[in-house]
Amino acid sequence: VTARRELDALARRAAATPGLIPLAGGLPADRQFPRAALAASFLRVLDARDGAALQYGWPEGQGGLRARIAARLGARVGAAVSADDVIVTNGAQQAIAIAAASLARPGDAIGVEPASYPAALELFRVRGLRLVPLGEARVSYVMSTLGNPTGRALDAPGRRAAARGRWIIDDDAYGELAFEGRTAPLWQGRRGRVVHVGTFSKTLCPGLRVGWLVVPEALRARALRLKHGDDLQANSLAQAVVDDTLAHIDFDARLAVLRRYYRSRAARLARAIRRALPAWSFAFPEGGFSLWLEADGRVDDARLLRAAVDEGVSFDPGSTFEGLRDQGPTRLRVCYSAAAPESFDDAAARLARAWRRVHGAARPFRARRAAPHLSS
Ligand SMILES: Cc1ncc(COP(=O)(O)O)c(C=O)c1O
């Protein structure tokens, strides 16, 4: 906890440092927010005679929006998904929280990937769940389509391990941002075992906080009670705006633009890292917002981040993603999504200087295995 607090303080210091190049945070590019379309939608839904955008609604969310989500998801998983299967949530984060509360009690174990999404790991810890490797618990939390921080699909051994449990929470937050287009999230199958989590945070904007949860029939009543008890319903205005925006823009064309945009940034940051830190390794992402780097040695995360902030660059320390306390080399998440691509060469050079400063003084590290080093 102390280490996490120190890293959090450093992250805040980094965010407030003028001239620092931010490779931390995993934010979507704000220049890609569809501001004009959202503004028009706000005006339209506020103007609507029924006033629904400003009124209370049902805990499962607004019907039209649920139908859109169901149709898109059905096309991706190749199965009929009904609007009745969908619960609109306050972002994917609340969907994960409801899923976890529906399936596990304090003291239970939850299986997670070796590198996983920190806010989910933190939520599980706060709820008293024990983090264990995939396959060792009744409930697993995975990102089958595109992982955060890896930017890659869950591999076959990970899928097999997750399938050994009874329930799988599949967080598809980045699934529609795969560079090559289509991805298929895990689906419920015969045993109705997959809880699906999605969001508009990465494809429209996170500020509206609109995500969703699709649970098997057997869990629906409990999930709805938890949702209702938590906050009655997702924000009516935000739901109405998202629904109206989707009715007025070509969302698939937008996704195609975003995929190209993020892919070219990924390639540019990958080039810069390879040039400045040739001994580090990483697998080129299949989508998402970040590169997951493995350094050629091990140093303390906080020392490296402090040195990096002194040099004028930030990153997300690997330990926050590694819920299972991996003891391997130092790992870092660097995000290409939000910083200016023209700054990537500088950012990588600053990171390399910080690494030399901290690692130069550290003991040499013997790698346990060869890391994959794919390229774009
Ligand atoms: C893997 C993953 N799941 C869920 C979330 C939360 O998304 P939302 O903004 O929809 O709550 C994030 C946000 O970064 C994420 O990376």
Side-chain angles (χ1 to χ4, degrees):
V1 173
T2 320
R4 274 205 294 279
R5 222 177 276 150
E6 185 181 6
L7 292 175
D8 186 60
L10 278 167
R12 284 164 192 272
R13 193 181 119 203
T17 302
L20 178 135
I21 305 169
L23 299 184
L27 308 180
D30 50 14
R31 59 183 296 187
Q32 289 294 345
F33 295 152
R35 288 168 201 246
L38 291 172
S41 289
F42 264 101
L43 292 180
R44 269 193 300 271
V45 303
L46 287 173
D47 243 7
R49 247 170 230 276
D50 64 5
L54 299 175
Q55 188 53 279
Y56 283 117
W58 298 109
E60 63 269 29
Q62 199 237 56
L65 178 60
R66 285 187 292 123
R68 286 186 199 286
I69 293 168
R72 293 194 65 83
L73 183 58
R76 290 178 63 217
V77 300
V81 181
S82 137
D84 290 341
D85 297 327
V86 177
I87 300 172
V88 182
T89 57
N90 194 28
Q93 187 68 24
Q94 187 189 38
I96 301 167
I98 293 173
S102 301
L103 298 172
R105 298 216 172 95
D108 286 352
I110 186 160
V112 296
E113 297 178 61
S116 187
Y117 165 53
L121 299 179
E122 197 56 21
L123 164 77
F124 301 148
R125 288 191 194 100
V126 167
R127 294 279 170 90
L129 305 184
R130 287 178 297 113
L131 306 180
V132 298
L134 290 180
E136 294 183 15
R138 218 175 132 260
V139 182
S140 299
Y141 166 74
V142 299
M143 289 159 275
S144 73
T145 48
L146 282 178
N148 175 9
T150 61
R152 299 182 62 88
L154 182 64
D155 60 12
R159 280 166 194 259
R160 280 197 298 274
R164 285 205 288 275
R166 171 66 183 91
W167 298 104
I168 303 174
I169 303 171
D170 188 17
D171 181 350
D172 184 43
Y174 294 90
E176 294 197 283
L177 290 180
F179 299 146
E180 299 303 332
R182 298 182 80 83
T183 52
L186 302 177
W187 193 238
Q188 295 183 359
R190 269 187 304 121
R191 288 170 67 202
R193 61 209 313 235
V194 173
V195 174
H196 172 89
V197 169
T199 181
F200 289 109
S201 285
K202 321 295 176 184
T203 54
L204 285 177
C205 63
L208 287 172
R209 313 298 307 129
V210 177
W212 62 89
L213 177 66
V214 181
V215 296
E217 181 60 34
L219 294 178
R220 186 172 165 81
R222 179 160 167 74
L224 271 176
R225 270 179 45 220
L226 287 165
K227 169 68 185 156
H228 188 249
D230 208 25
D231 62 357
L232 300 185
Q233 55 155 113
N235 180 320
S236 301
L237 180 55
Q239 292 186 74
V241 166
V242 171
D243 185 41
D244 184 89
T245 299
L246 295 180
H248 284 85
I249 65 172
D250 181 342
F251 192 57
D252 286 316
R254 171 174 171 77
L255 292 180
V257 169
L258 290 179
R259 288 172 187 139
R260 276 199 303 277
Y261 182 82
Y262 288 123
R263 192 188 204 295
S264 82
R265 284 169 161 243
R268 191 150 171 183
L269 183 58
R271 256 196 319 274
I273 296 286
R274 280 194 201 106
R275 211 174 289 143
L277 288 152
W280 287 21
S281 53
F282 61 93
F284 192 78
E286 292 164 340
F289 289 173
S290 59
L291 308 180
W292 180 232
L293 308 178
E294 186 170 298
D296 60 329
R298 184 174 184 87
V299 298
D300 177 68
D301 268 357
R303 279 187 62 209
L304 181 58
L305 183 54
R306 215 174 296 120
V309 173
D310 289 346
E311 292 288 348
V313 64
S314 63
F315 64 88
D316 296 306
S319 60
T320 58
F321 300 86
E322 293 173 324
L324 305 173
R325 300 193 189 288
D326 186 275
Q327 292 300 312
T330 289
R331 296 192 183 85
L332 308 77
R333 185 182 78 168
V334 287
C335 301
Y336 47 77
S337 48
E342 305 74 46
S343 70
F344 288 171
D345 285 326
D346 247 358
R350 292 176 189 192
L351 192 54
R353 280 202 296 277
W355 176 251
R356 281 196 297 274
R357 263 174 53 194
V358 174
H359 187 245
R363 273 184 290 128
F365 175 87
R366 229 162 357 105
R368 290 170 310 164
R369 62 181 168 78
H373 197 313
L374 312 182
S375 72
S376 57

